[in-house]
Protein backbone atom coordinates (compact mmCIF):
# COMPACT_ATOMS: atom_id res chain seq x y z
CA UNK A 1 0.00 0.00 0.00
CA UNK A 2 2.68 2.49 0.98
CA UNK A 3 4.80 1.93 -2.08
CA UNK A 4 1.75 2.63 -4.26
CA UNK A 5 1.05 5.69 -2.21
CA UNK A 6 4.58 6.96 -2.55
CA UNK A 7 4.40 6.50 -6.29
CA UNK A 8 1.21 8.50 -6.48
CA UNK A 9 2.61 11.02 -4.09
CA UNK A 10 5.78 11.59 -6.07
CA UNK A 11 3.60 12.53 -9.06
CA UNK A 12 1.65 15.07 -7.11
CA UNK A 13 2.84 18.57 -7.89
CA UNK A 14 1.66 20.07 -4.69
CA UNK A 15 2.89 17.42 -2.29
CA UNK A 16 5.03 19.87 -0.35
CA UNK A 17 2.14 22.21 0.15
CA UNK A 18 -0.11 19.37 1.12
CA UNK A 19 2.35 18.05 3.63
CA UNK A 20 3.34 21.38 5.09
CA UNK A 21 -0.32 22.22 5.49
CA UNK A 22 -0.86 19.10 7.48
CA UNK A 23 2.31 19.30 9.54
CA UNK A 24 0.65 19.68 12.95
CA UNK A 25 -1.40 16.52 12.49
CA UNK A 26 1.64 14.57 11.39
CA UNK A 27 3.51 15.22 14.60
CA UNK A 28 0.87 14.07 16.97
CA UNK A 29 -0.97 11.42 15.02
CA UNK A 30 1.67 9.88 12.80
CA UNK A 31 4.47 9.87 15.35
CA UNK A 32 2.31 8.23 17.93
CA UNK A 33 1.05 5.54 15.57
CA UNK A 34 4.62 4.89 14.47
CA UNK A 35 5.80 4.58 18.07
CA UNK A 36 3.07 2.01 18.71
CA UNK A 37 3.97 0.19 15.55
CA UNK A 38 7.67 0.05 16.44
CA UNK A 39 6.83 -1.53 19.78
CA UNK A 40 4.18 -3.81 18.35
CA UNK A 41 4.18 -7.30 19.87
CA UNK A 42 0.60 -8.39 19.32
CA UNK A 43 -2.84 -7.05 20.03
CA UNK A 44 -3.75 -6.49 23.65
CA UNK A 45 -6.04 -4.18 25.57
CA UNK A 46 -3.30 -1.66 26.14
CA UNK A 47 -2.65 -1.28 22.42
CA UNK A 48 -6.34 -0.96 21.56
CA UNK A 49 -6.81 1.60 24.28
CA UNK A 50 -3.86 3.64 23.08
CA UNK A 51 -5.19 3.57 19.52
CA UNK A 52 -8.55 4.73 20.82
CA UNK A 53 -6.93 7.63 22.68
CA UNK A 54 -4.92 8.69 19.62
CA UNK A 55 -8.03 8.66 17.45
CA UNK A 56 -10.11 10.57 19.98
CA UNK A 57 -7.41 13.18 20.46
CA UNK A 58 -7.30 13.80 16.75
CA UNK A 59 -11.07 14.38 16.74
CA UNK A 60 -12.18 11.21 15.03
CA UNK A 61 -15.08 11.14 17.49
CA UNK A 62 -16.15 8.32 19.77
CA UNK A 63 -18.43 6.57 17.27
CA UNK A 64 -15.98 6.41 14.41
CA UNK A 65 -13.04 5.68 16.74
CA UNK A 66 -14.83 2.68 18.20
CA UNK A 67 -15.63 1.30 14.74
CA UNK A 68 -12.06 1.82 13.52
CA UNK A 69 -10.56 0.10 16.56
CA UNK A 70 -13.05 -2.77 16.23
CA UNK A 71 -12.11 -3.29 12.60
CA UNK A 72 -8.46 -3.09 13.49
CA UNK A 73 -8.92 -5.85 16.05
CA UNK A 74 -11.21 -8.06 13.94
CA UNK A 75 -8.89 -8.14 10.97
CA UNK A 76 -5.63 -8.33 12.88
CA UNK A 77 -4.55 -11.44 10.98
CA UNK A 78 -3.95 -9.12 8.01
CA UNK A 79 -1.16 -7.23 9.75
CA UNK A 80 1.45 -9.53 8.22
CA UNK A 81 0.15 -8.59 4.74
CA UNK A 82 1.08 -4.98 5.31
CA UNK A 83 4.59 -5.21 6.70
CA UNK A 84 3.90 -3.25 9.85
CA UNK A 85 1.13 -2.42 12.23
CA UNK A 86 1.32 1.18 11.10
CA UNK A 87 0.67 0.38 7.47
CA UNK A 88 -2.14 -1.98 8.42
CA UNK A 89 -3.71 0.72 10.57
CA UNK A 90 -3.58 3.22 7.68
CA UNK A 91 -5.25 0.64 5.49
CA UNK A 92 -8.06 0.29 8.03
CA UNK A 93 -8.54 4.08 7.97
CA UNK A 94 -8.50 4.00 4.20
CA UNK A 95 -11.18 1.32 4.01
CA UNK A 96 -13.19 3.11 6.66
CA UNK A 97 -13.33 6.31 4.62
CA UNK A 98 -14.45 4.39 1.52
CA UNK A 99 -14.15 6.75 -1.38
CA UNK A 100 -17.10 5.23 -3.20
CA UNK A 101 -19.32 8.01 -1.90
CA UNK A 102 -17.42 10.67 -3.85
CA UNK A 103 -19.03 11.34 -7.20
CA UNK A 104 -17.21 13.74 -9.48
CA UNK A 105 -18.83 17.06 -10.20
CA UNK A 106 -20.79 16.81 -13.44
CA UNK A 107 -19.65 19.80 -15.46
CA UNK A 108 -21.10 18.59 -18.76
CA UNK A 109 -24.36 20.45 -18.54
CA UNK A 110 -26.16 22.86 -20.81
CA UNK A 111 -26.81 25.17 -17.90
CA UNK A 112 -24.42 26.84 -15.47
CA UNK A 113 -23.50 24.50 -12.63
CA UNK A 114 -24.65 26.19 -9.44
CA UNK A 115 -22.79 25.64 -6.18
CA UNK A 116 -24.25 27.10 -3.00
CA UNK A 117 -21.81 27.70 -0.18
CA UNK A 118 -23.29 27.43 3.29
CA UNK A 119 -21.86 27.57 6.80
CA UNK A 120 -21.75 29.68 9.93
CA UNK A 121 -19.93 33.00 10.18
CA UNK A 122 -16.24 32.62 10.76
CA UNK A 123 -16.03 29.13 9.25
CA UNK A 124 -14.16 30.51 6.25
CA UNK A 125 -17.11 30.40 3.85
CA UNK A 126 -16.39 33.65 2.04
CA UNK A 127 -12.66 32.99 1.76
CA UNK A 128 -13.40 29.49 0.46
CA UNK A 129 -15.85 30.85 -2.10
CA UNK A 130 -13.09 33.09 -3.45
CA UNK A 131 -10.64 30.18 -3.45
CA UNK A 132 -13.08 28.04 -5.43
CA UNK A 133 -13.61 30.79 -7.98
CA UNK A 134 -9.87 30.84 -8.53
CA UNK A 135 -9.62 27.05 -8.58
CA UNK A 136 -12.24 26.60 -11.29
CA UNK A 137 -11.12 29.63 -13.25
CA UNK A 138 -7.60 28.18 -13.31
CA UNK A 139 -9.17 25.03 -14.76
CA UNK A 140 -10.45 27.08 -17.66
CA UNK A 141 -14.06 27.39 -16.55
CA UNK A 142 -16.04 30.54 -17.06
CA UNK A 143 -17.06 31.28 -13.50
CA UNK A 144 -19.26 33.92 -11.98
CA UNK A 145 -19.76 34.52 -8.31
CA UNK A 146 -22.70 35.68 -6.22
CA UNK A 147 -21.96 37.72 -3.12
CA UNK A 148 -25.17 36.81 -1.32
CA UNK A 149 -23.94 36.81 2.26
CA UNK A 150 -25.68 40.10 2.82
CA UNK A 151 -25.78 39.77 6.59
CA UNK A 152 -22.12 39.69 7.53
CA UNK A 153 -20.68 43.15 7.14
CA UNK A 154 -17.73 42.92 4.81
CA UNK A 155 -18.53 39.62 3.10
CA UNK A 156 -19.84 41.28 -0.06
CA UNK A 157 -16.83 43.61 -0.34
CA UNK A 158 -14.53 40.68 0.30
CA UNK A 159 -15.99 38.70 -2.62
CA UNK A 160 -16.13 41.73 -4.86
CA UNK A 161 -12.46 42.53 -4.32
CA UNK A 162 -11.54 38.93 -5.10
CA UNK A 163 -13.71 38.86 -8.18
CA UNK A 164 -12.08 42.01 -9.54
CA UNK A 165 -8.64 40.62 -8.91
CA UNK A 166 -9.51 37.33 -10.59
CA UNK A 167 -11.37 39.02 -13.42
CA UNK A 168 -14.69 37.27 -12.92
CA UNK A 169 -18.16 38.76 -12.79
CA UNK A 170 -19.59 39.31 -9.34
CA UNK A 171 -23.30 39.72 -8.70
CA UNK A 172 -23.62 41.38 -5.35
CA UNK A 173 -26.30 42.12 -2.83
CA UNK A 174 -27.00 45.22 -0.80
CA UNK A 175 -26.60 45.06 2.98
CA UNK A 176 -29.47 43.04 4.45
CA UNK A 177 -30.97 42.29 1.05
CA UNK A 178 -32.62 38.87 0.96
CA UNK A 179 -29.87 36.45 -0.17
CA UNK A 180 -32.45 34.66 -2.33
CA UNK A 181 -33.10 37.75 -4.39
CA UNK A 182 -29.36 38.12 -5.02
CA UNK A 183 -29.36 34.51 -6.15
CA UNK A 184 -32.15 35.16 -8.64
CA UNK A 185 -30.14 37.97 -10.22
CA UNK A 186 -26.99 35.85 -10.19
CA UNK A 187 -28.66 32.83 -11.82
CA UNK A 188 -30.10 35.02 -14.59
CA UNK A 189 -26.78 36.71 -15.18
CA UNK A 190 -24.93 33.37 -15.25
CA UNK A 191 -27.30 32.13 -17.95
CA UNK A 192 -27.12 35.34 -19.97
CA UNK A 193 -23.34 35.36 -19.99
CA UNK A 194 -23.04 31.65 -20.76
CA UNK A 195 -21.09 30.93 -17.59
CA UNK A 196 -20.04 27.35 -16.86
CA UNK A 197 -20.50 27.84 -13.15
CA UNK A 198 -22.06 30.06 -10.57
CA UNK A 199 -20.54 29.87 -7.11
CA UNK A 200 -22.67 31.58 -4.48
CA UNK A 201 -21.60 32.75 -1.05
CA UNK A 202 -24.82 32.65 0.95
CA UNK A 203 -26.01 33.57 4.39
CA UNK A 204 -27.51 30.60 6.19
CA UNK A 205 -27.75 31.87 9.72
CA UNK A 206 -27.85 29.31 12.47
CA UNK A 207 -30.15 31.17 14.87
CA UNK A 208 -32.44 28.23 15.19
CA UNK A 209 -33.14 25.24 13.04
CA UNK A 210 -36.48 26.38 11.68
CA UNK A 211 -35.07 29.72 10.64
CA UNK A 212 -32.07 28.12 8.99
CA UNK A 213 -34.29 25.67 7.19
CA UNK A 214 -36.55 28.43 5.91
CA UNK A 215 -33.67 30.46 4.57
CA UNK A 216 -31.93 27.54 2.89
CA UNK A 217 -35.14 26.15 1.45
CA UNK A 218 -35.92 29.49 -0.11
CA UNK A 219 -32.45 29.73 -1.65
CA UNK A 220 -32.83 26.25 -3.12
CA UNK A 221 -36.26 27.04 -4.48
CA UNK A 222 -35.21 30.19 -6.32
CA UNK A 223 -32.21 28.44 -7.88
CA UNK A 224 -34.43 25.57 -9.02
CA UNK A 225 -36.83 28.01 -10.59
CA UNK A 226 -34.11 29.86 -12.51
CA UNK A 227 -31.84 27.04 -13.63
CA UNK A 228 -32.72 23.44 -14.33
CA UNK A 229 -31.31 21.06 -11.73
CA UNK A 230 -29.86 23.88 -9.61
CA UNK A 231 -28.38 24.05 -7.09
CA UNK A 232 -26.27 21.19 -8.36
CA UNK A 233 -24.19 21.14 -5.21
CA UNK A 234 -24.52 22.60 -1.72
CA UNK A 235 -21.21 22.62 0.07
CA UNK A 236 -21.00 23.13 3.80
CA UNK A 237 -17.89 24.94 5.00
CA UNK A 238 -16.65 23.72 8.38
CA UNK A 239 -13.79 25.03 10.48
CA UNK A 240 -11.67 21.95 11.25
CA UNK A 241 -10.35 23.53 14.44
CA UNK A 242 -13.83 23.35 15.99
CA UNK A 243 -13.64 19.55 16.00
CA UNK A 244 -16.71 17.80 17.33
CA UNK A 245 -18.62 21.07 17.62
CA UNK A 246 -18.23 21.41 13.88
CA UNK A 247 -19.81 17.99 13.48
CA UNK A 248 -22.80 19.05 15.56
CA UNK A 249 -23.13 22.17 13.45
CA UNK A 250 -22.93 20.07 10.33
CA UNK A 251 -25.82 17.93 11.54
CA UNK A 252 -27.96 21.02 11.91
CA UNK A 253 -27.21 22.03 8.34
CA UNK A 254 -27.75 18.57 6.89
CA UNK A 255 -31.09 18.35 8.65
CA UNK A 256 -32.06 21.75 7.27
CA UNK A 257 -31.04 21.22 3.66
CA UNK A 258 -29.61 18.80 1.13
CA UNK A 259 -25.88 19.27 1.74
CA UNK A 260 -23.85 17.36 -0.87
CA UNK A 261 -20.29 17.91 0.31
CA UNK A 262 -18.03 19.32 2.99
CA UNK A 263 -15.13 21.71 2.76
CA UNK A 264 -12.86 21.65 5.81
CA UNK A 265 -11.03 24.90 6.37
CA UNK A 266 -8.10 25.77 8.63
CA UNK A 267 -6.55 22.34 8.33
CA UNK A 268 -3.25 24.22 8.54
CA UNK A 269 -4.09 25.27 12.08
CA UNK A 270 -5.11 22.00 13.64
CA UNK A 271 -3.51 18.81 14.81
CA UNK A 272 -6.91 17.21 14.60
CA UNK A 273 -7.09 15.87 11.07
CA UNK A 274 -9.22 12.99 12.32
CA UNK A 275 -12.31 15.12 11.87
CA UNK A 276 -12.31 13.87 8.25
CA UNK A 277 -13.09 10.38 9.55
CA UNK A 278 -15.78 11.72 11.87
CA UNK A 279 -17.47 13.41 8.93
CA UNK A 280 -17.34 10.27 6.88
CA UNK A 281 -18.84 8.30 9.71
CA UNK A 282 -21.48 10.61 11.07
CA UNK A 283 -22.56 12.50 7.98
CA UNK A 284 -21.92 10.14 5.08
CA UNK A 285 -20.78 13.10 3.03
CA UNK A 286 -17.66 13.44 0.93
CA UNK A 287 -15.02 15.96 1.92
CA UNK A 288 -14.51 17.90 -1.31
CA UNK A 289 -11.71 20.30 -0.49
CA UNK A 290 -9.34 21.19 2.31
CA UNK A 291 -8.47 24.77 3.20
CA UNK A 292 -4.81 25.07 4.13
CA UNK A 293 -4.34 28.79 4.66
CA UNK A 294 -5.73 32.24 4.02
CA UNK A 295 -4.45 32.82 0.51
CA UNK A 296 -6.50 32.10 -2.62
CA UNK A 297 -4.24 29.25 -3.66
CA UNK A 298 -4.47 27.53 -0.25
CA UNK A 299 -7.16 25.11 -1.32
CA UNK A 300 -6.68 21.46 -2.24
CA UNK A 301 -9.17 18.99 -3.63
CA UNK A 302 -9.51 16.30 -1.01
CA UNK A 303 -7.45 13.24 -1.89
CA UNK A 304 -7.69 10.36 0.55
CA UNK A 305 -4.24 8.95 -0.18
CA UNK A 306 -2.52 12.30 0.17
CA UNK A 307 -4.49 13.00 3.30
CA UNK A 308 -3.51 9.71 4.92
CA UNK A 309 0.06 10.17 3.85
CA UNK A 310 -0.02 13.70 5.22
CA UNK A 311 -1.28 12.77 8.66
CA UNK A 312 1.02 9.83 9.10
CA UNK A 313 4.37 10.81 7.63
P1 LIG B 1 -16.98 33.51 6.89
O1 LIG B 1 -17.56 34.37 7.98
O2 LIG B 1 -17.33 32.08 7.09
O3 LIG B 1 -17.27 33.99 5.53
O4 LIG B 1 -15.40 33.55 7.16
P2 LIG B 1 -14.18 34.19 6.35
O5 LIG B 1 -14.09 33.62 4.99
O6 LIG B 1 -14.21 35.65 6.47
O7 LIG B 1 -12.98 33.58 7.19
C1 LIG B 1 -12.81 33.81 8.58
C2 LIG B 1 -11.32 33.86 8.90
O8 LIG B 1 -10.75 32.57 8.67
C3 LIG B 1 -10.55 34.82 8.01
O9 LIG B 1 -9.58 35.46 8.80
C4 LIG B 1 -9.88 33.91 6.99
O10 LIG B 1 -8.70 34.44 6.46
C5 LIG B 1 -9.63 32.67 7.80
N1 LIG B 1 -9.53 31.44 7.01
C6 LIG B 1 -10.41 30.95 6.10
N2 LIG B 1 -9.99 29.77 5.60
C7 LIG B 1 -8.80 29.48 6.20
C8 LIG B 1 -7.87 28.39 6.13
O11 LIG B 1 -8.02 27.40 5.40
N3 LIG B 1 -6.77 28.48 6.93
C9 LIG B 1 -6.55 29.55 7.77
N4 LIG B 1 -5.46 29.54 8.52
N5 LIG B 1 -7.42 30.56 7.87
C10 LIG B 1 -8.53 30.54 7.10
Amino acid sequence: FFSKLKEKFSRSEDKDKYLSGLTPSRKTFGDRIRALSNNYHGIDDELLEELMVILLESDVGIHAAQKIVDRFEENASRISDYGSMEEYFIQILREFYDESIVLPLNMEQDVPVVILMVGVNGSGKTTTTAKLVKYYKDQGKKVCVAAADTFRAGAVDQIETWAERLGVECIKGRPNQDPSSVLVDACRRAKETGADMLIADTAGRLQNKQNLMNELTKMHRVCEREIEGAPHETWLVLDATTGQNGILQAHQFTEATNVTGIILTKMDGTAKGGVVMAIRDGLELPVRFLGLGEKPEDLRPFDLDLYLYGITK
Side-chain angles (χ1 to χ4, degrees):
F1 168 69
F2 259 98
S3 60
K4 254 200 272 161
L5 196 57
K6 278 172 188 155
E7 192 190 314
K8 177 172 182 182
F9 192 67
S10 64
R11 287 199 305 266
S12 166
E13 284 158 14
D14 55 12
K15 63 174 181 178
D16 292 338
K17 186 70 197 180
Y18 213 97
L19 284 185
S20 68
L22 291 169
T23 301
S25 331
R26 279 153 59 204
K27 280 195 185 118
T28 54
F29 192 84
D31 291 349
R32 290 170 74 184
I33 297 291
R34 207 154 19 258
L36 272 188
S37 183
N38 290 340
N39 294 323
Y40 178 73
H41 48 72
I43 291 194
D44 54 21
D45 288 350
E46 203 184 333
L47 173 76
L48 297 177
E49 207 177 296
E50 180 62 17
L51 278 177
M52 192 76 183
V53 169
I54 295 173
L55 289 169
L56 289 176
E57 287 183 1
S58 79
D59 256 335
V60 168
I62 184 80
H63 243 202
Q66 187 64 62
K67 286 189 203 165
I68 291 167
V69 171
D70 285 350
R71 285 200 200 178
F72 177 90
E73 187 182 9
E74 279 161 21
N75 300 286
S77 58
R78 286 166 58 199
I79 290 186
S80 53
D81 299 344
Y82 289 93
S84 72
M85 187 219 92
E86 181 194 359
E87 292 196 22
Y88 164 69
F89 183 68
I90 304 301
Q91 179 61 15
I92 294 287
L93 290 180
R94 173 166 227 290
E95 288 168 14
F96 183 79
Y97 188 84
D98 179 9
E99 278 176 297
S100 62
I101 55 162
V102 188
L103 292 171
L105 202 55
N106 176 12
M107 298 292 290
E108 307 302 317
Q109 314 219 20
D110 297 333
V111 292
V113 172
V114 179
I115 302 178
L116 291 188
M117 304 293 292
V118 300
V120 299
N121 274 354
S123 60
K125 181 169 55 63
T126 303
T127 311
T128 305
T129 303
K131 287 175 176 177
L132 284 171
V133 170
K134 175 174 162 48
Y135 177 81
Y136 285 111
K137 182 165 189 263
D138 287 350
Q139 300 213 328
K141 304 289 177 218
K142 182 172 163 119
V143 185
C144 66
V145 60
D149 185 350
T150 47
F151 292 102
R152 182 166 73 75
V156 170
D157 289 348
Q158 212 174 315
I159 292 280
E160 202 180 14
T161 309
W162 280 115
E164 263 170 36
R165 211 173 294 171
L166 296 168
V168 306
E169 178 162 354
C170 171
I171 297 88
K172 64 172 184 168
R174 296 182 306 279
N176 296 321
Q177 183 184 348
D178 182 351
S180 295
S181 87
V182 186
L183 283 180
V184 171
D185 293 346
C187 286
R188 291 183 184 167
R189 193 67 198 141
K191 272 192 300 190
E192 268 166 33
T193 58
D196 298 315
M197 304 181 86
L198 167 66
I199 305 177
D201 188 24
T202 70
R205 291 165 301 163
L206 198 54
Q207 287 146 341
N208 61 61
K209 210 164 101 188
Q210 191 56 44
N211 173 278
L212 178 73
M213 205 177 297
N214 292 344
E215 286 185 351
L216 294 174
T217 306
K218 191 168 170 196
M219 286 191 263
H220 267 245
R221 205 175 48 229
V222 299
C223 287
E224 261 166 35
R225 216 164 41 210
E226 296 299 325
I227 295 179
E228 196 193 324
H232 302 90
E233 296 280 335
T234 301
W235 288 347
L236 173 64
V237 178
L238 285 182
D239 177 343
T241 65
T242 60
Q244 295 301 306
N245 280 337
I247 304 288
L248 282 178
Q249 224 175 64
H251 277 291
Q252 288 174 292
F253 273 89
T254 52
E255 283 161 21
T257 192
N258 179 28
V259 175
T260 59
I262 303 282
I263 299 187
L264 272 176
T265 60
K266 310 185 196 181
M267 286 293 282
D268 51 314
T270 178
K272 303 196 167 188
V275 74
V276 166
M277 295 296 164
I279 287 170
R280 176 63 187 90
D281 182 50
L283 297 164
E284 303 258 326
L285 283 171
V287 175
R288 288 288 188 175
F289 288 89
L290 298 182
L292 296 170
E294 299 187 72
K295 294 196 295 296
E297 59 273 23
D298 295 333
L299 183 77
R300 296 288 172 275
F302 180 71
D303 179 304
L304 182 63
D305 286 344
L306 284 177
Y307 163 75
L308 289 174
Y309 194 88
I311 60 168
T312 54
K313 275 292 129 183

